[in-house]
Amino acid sequence: MVNRNRRLRGSNAIRDLVRETVISSNDFIYPIFAVEGENIKEEISSLPGCYHFSIDRLHEVIEEIVKCKVRGVMVFGIPDHKDEIASSAFDDNGIVQRAVRKIKKISSKLLVITDVCMCQYTSNGHCGIVVDGMVNNEKSLKYLSKIALSHAMAGSDMIAPSDMMDGRVLAIRNLLDENGYENIPIMSYSAKYCSAFYGPFREAAHSAPQFGNRKTYQMDPANSREAMKEIQDDIEEGADIVMVKPALSYLDVIRWARDRNDVPIAAYSVSGEYAMVKAGAKLGWINEKAIALEMLLSIKRAGADMIITYYALEASKWLMEGIDE
Ligand code: PBG
């Protein structure tokens, strides 16, 4: 007897009924980039369709996000001033702090997540404090928790450390709790790989390291057992949500993380993943809508509960229009 698997593929109706994975705007978080200055809405050349916004024009993108029914934003800041201790990152009047206050004023319902890292704010472009040419773990923890606290004080709904220092979730959790922010969750970039897929972001955020690379703190793309250790450590330290980043080349890591843990898993479909599809679409070689939606679906199927994606707005619009039958 032949197993007739095609019986359940015969019509749109039956395909809809047996579908195992569904994506919607409820799954997406949209990254936004706030810059100093006034009246700025400037397209990011390495991320076509994404923009640098000055604070006074943030409402344009926030209103669109709300209209697209996307639930959250990940806020990145591009400061004017960089120094060795990333002081503009924990300044109450810093770019992220002001952006958060503005966004909360525009929409009280949108979840505002803030990326906690130093690479946009240090003159050397590293994610922590450099001592004798090396990124120093313990010194970095002090500053990272200060940054997290200042984000919480500005009104951030969730803290997302992306620096990859050891012990930062615990350090941040402790300082938040001591200051009465015990209800602010931490979404940890737990399994963050040292990836070439971040290239377009570094151009967008002016955050490329000025010497060396990030291999002494970000993970080796060859390792997946180590990712499970990173995730387990972060959960023990108090992470509420753990992240795998990038997404598309790391679907095995997402699946494994999903199977081994019960906390929500976020996946960050990073700048290089987006830029490749945009470039292919521009050349007319691929069907952008179909490919982007298939990518997002595959990330969810692999086990992600939420996806940080530069396609959040477009994908939400496409999903509202309906997929071609
Ligand atoms: C900051 C940070 C990076 C990204 C998110 N937060 C860059 C990096 O670690 O080099 C990358 C996001 C993307 O590529 O879309 N550390």
Side-chain angles (χ1 to χ4, degrees):
M1 191 194 76
V2 177
N3 280 330
R4 295 199 181 274
N5 295 319
R6 292 179 56 192
R7 279 188 202 119
L8 301 183
R9 295 179 199 144
S11 69
N12 283 318
I14 192 88
R15 287 193 294 271
D16 280 350
L17 286 165
V18 301
R19 186 162 302 121
E20 298 172 33
T21 310
V22 178
I23 48 170
S24 83
S25 59
N26 283 342
D27 302 318
F28 304 145
I29 295 165
Y30 188 56
I32 56 172
F33 297 91
V35 294
E36 297 284 1
E38 266 171 45
N39 196 23
I40 296 168
K41 178 188 176 185
E42 204 176 341
E43 191 169 31
I44 301 168
S45 58
S46 55
L47 292 172
C50 298
Y51 297 82
H52 283 145
F53 284 96
S54 53
I55 307 265
D56 59 330
R57 291 188 67 175
L58 270 177
H59 62 275
E60 295 174 29
V61 64
I62 299 301
E63 281 158 14
E64 203 191 340
I65 294 166
V66 172
K67 213 161 65 196
C68 291
K69 299 194 184 338
V70 167
R71 309 301 275 153
V73 284
M74 177 73 85
V75 182
F76 294 98
I78 295 131
D80 271 351
H81 171 75
K82 295 180 193 248
D83 60 26
E84 256 146 53
I85 58 161
S87 49
S88 56
F90 50 86
D91 180 350
D92 184 46
N93 216 17
I95 183 72
V96 167
Q97 290 78 356
R98 277 181 291 134
V100 168
R101 282 188 217 108
K102 181 76 187 282
I103 298 166
K104 293 306 292 182
K105 221 179 272 171
I106 302 164
S107 168
S108 57
K109 289 194 189 136
L110 189 64
L111 189 81
V112 177
I113 311 166
T114 48
D115 179 271
V116 168
C117 195
M118 291 193 223
C119 57
Q120 290 108 279
Y121 306 88
T122 46
S123 30
N124 53 53
H126 277 288
C127 304
I129 302 286
V130 174
V131 180
D132 297 333
M134 293 276 285
V135 176
N136 182 287
N137 202 83
E138 312 320 305
K139 262 218 167 111
S140 302
L141 294 186
K142 286 207 183 86
Y143 285 94
L144 289 162
S145 31
K146 254 164 100 117
I147 299 169
L149 177 60
S150 84
H151 288 184
M153 287 166 69
S156 172
D157 295 310
M158 179 141 64
I159 301 296
S162 70
D163 52 282
M164 285 302 276
M165 297 302 122
D166 289 322
R168 88 266 212 215
V169 174
L170 184 62
I172 290 171
R173 185 73 273 158
N174 284 342
L175 194 66
L176 290 178
D177 290 358
E178 280 162 28
N179 285 277
Y181 294 102
E182 61 279 343
N183 288 326
I184 300 290
I186 296 176
M187 174 198 272
S188 181
Y189 287 68
S190 302
K192 178 174 177 179
Y193 286 89
C194 189
S195 171
F197 283 95
Y198 308 151
F201 174 94
R202 290 184 188 167
E203 203 179 313
H206 310 157
S207 66
Q210 300 304 301
F211 68 88
N213 52 46
R214 304 210 206 286
K215 288 185 185 174
T216 67
Y217 42 102
Q218 296 182 346
M219 281 186 56
D220 184 339
N223 296 353
S224 56
R225 290 192 300 267
E226 189 186 345
M228 297 308 112
K229 179 156 193 316
E230 284 282 4
I231 288 169
Q232 194 188 330
D233 289 350
D234 282 1
I235 293 172
E236 279 167 19
E237 287 180 32
D240 301 281
I241 298 173
V242 293
M243 191 198 296
V244 175
K245 175 189 174 188
L248 205 56
S249 284
Y250 298 83
L251 296 181
D252 56 328
V253 180
I254 297 173
R255 166 49 55 198
W256 207 15
R258 171 71 294 150
D259 287 346
R260 290 186 36 154
N261 301 285
D262 293 324
V263 300
I265 309 270
Y268 197 143
S269 182
V270 300
S271 55
E273 300 174 36
Y274 174 83
M276 288 194 305
V277 180
K278 283 284 171 194
K282 196 170 167 190
L283 287 165
W285 291 350
I286 54 171
N287 175 341
E288 182 185 14
K289 172 178 167 179
I291 289 223
L293 291 177
E294 189 175 325
M295 276 168 61
L296 293 167
L297 183 76
S298 71
I299 296 166
K300 181 129 185 242
R301 191 198 59 230
D305 298 286
M306 64 199 89
I307 307 168
I308 302 150
T309 169
Y310 301 94
Y311 267 115
L313 304 186
E314 273 175 294
S316 299
K317 286 182 209 155
W318 290 328
L319 289 167
M320 280 190 258
E321 282 166 14
I323 298 171
D324 302 335
E325 298 213 324

